[in-house]
Structures are given as structure tokens and as C-alpha cells.
Amino acid sequence: GNQKLMDDRNIVFPMQKEYDRLAGEGKTPMYIAVDGNPAGIIAVADVMKKSSRKAVETLEQMGIEVAMITGDNRRTAEAIADQVGIHRVLAGVLPQDKAVEVKKLQQEGKKVAMVGDGINDAPALATADVGIAMGAAGTDVALETADLVLMADRLDKLPYAIALSRATLGNIKQ
């Protein structure tokens, strides 16, 4: 489990440097305990798609502020955000609280488009002004909840979809 789980169970790990190193590399470290005793540490990481950084840059050029909402710890989240050029990071967000974070952004006066692909993203997809599911990798719940489904599992398709929707709306207004 994560640091919070170990703290809740009063399990102390002597591996904080290793945990910090892994998190700084953009990996999600997880402690392993057996019968209440520290046993090890492992880390998992998503493969960063090369197109993600370009997608974030393009979205920002379109006047869209990009934020990341993740359950990862702050250090891991910031390392990943730095790799793709995201400047606003909401880290350590539990799955049930993602929708709350979307509401907070809306209370700031922002129109929120939430992109997600999992069961944990469904409430936030429903709460957002526009919910966008990644179709190729998306769970059925995310696909059913979203307003828009990107059929490719590539974030660089998002700016194209937004540009297309803006052009369509322009045609409707004409």
C-alpha cells in the first residue's frame, strides 16, 4: 500500500530515500508489509506516450488550461506533470473525491472538461461540463458516462476533437 496506509497501520519503513527516488522518477511506489512488518518496496509506472506532451502544448496554445487530477502522491504526480508540461497538479486525490475536485474548479468559474478512462473517473466525468473518455482503453462505465468518446487511446486526438467541435458550433451559429 501507499504511505498513508502504512501510517494508518503503524508500520514504519526505513526506505524513505528509495520511496522518494522512485516517486521523483514519476513512478508510484508501494510498500509491502507482511504480518505488520516492513518487507519491501515496489513501484509501477505508466508508459508515457510521446504524443502526450505535444497534446498538452497544443491545448495550451488553444487557450485551454490543463490540470492533472490523480491519486498518485504529490512527488510522483509532479514528476509526471513535468514530463508532459502540466503546471497545475491535484495529487493524492482519492477516486471518490475526483468529482469534488472538478466541482472546485467549476467554483473558480472554469468550464471543466474531464478526460478519463476508468471506473474511478466516472463520477468526475459526469460532474464535468464535458466528460471525455479514452475509448480504446476506457472501461464501460467511463464510456457510458462520458459526453464524448475518443476512439483512439491517444491524448493528441483531443485538440483535434475540440477544434472540430468549435468549428461545428461556429457553423451552427452561422
Side-chain angles (χ1 to χ4, degrees), residues 8 13 20 24 27-28 32 44 52 56 70 80 85 92 101 106 119 124 127 135-136 138 146 158 163 165:
D8 290 348
F13 275 80
D20 291 342
K27 298 173 183 169
T28 302
I32 300 169
V44 295
S52 296
V56 170
T70 180
I80 293 167
E101 293 299 328
Q106 290 169 328
I119 293 170
T127 302
L158 182 57
S165 68

Side-chain angles (χ1 to χ4, degrees), residues 27-51:
K27 298 173 183 169
T28 302
M30 295 174 285
Y31 288 123
I32 300 169
V34 177
D35 296 326
N37 297 308
I41 186 170
I42 60 171
V44 295
D46 288 325
V47 176
M48 190 67 58
K49 292 187 172 94
K50 294 178 183 177
S51 60

Side-chain angles (χ1 to χ4, degrees), residues 69 98 102 112-116 120-121 124-126 128-133 146:
I69 301 175
K98 286 184 178 183
V102 168
V112 178
M114 170 71 185
V115 179
N120 295 337
D121 297 323
L125 291 170
D129 296 290
V130 178
I132 303 168

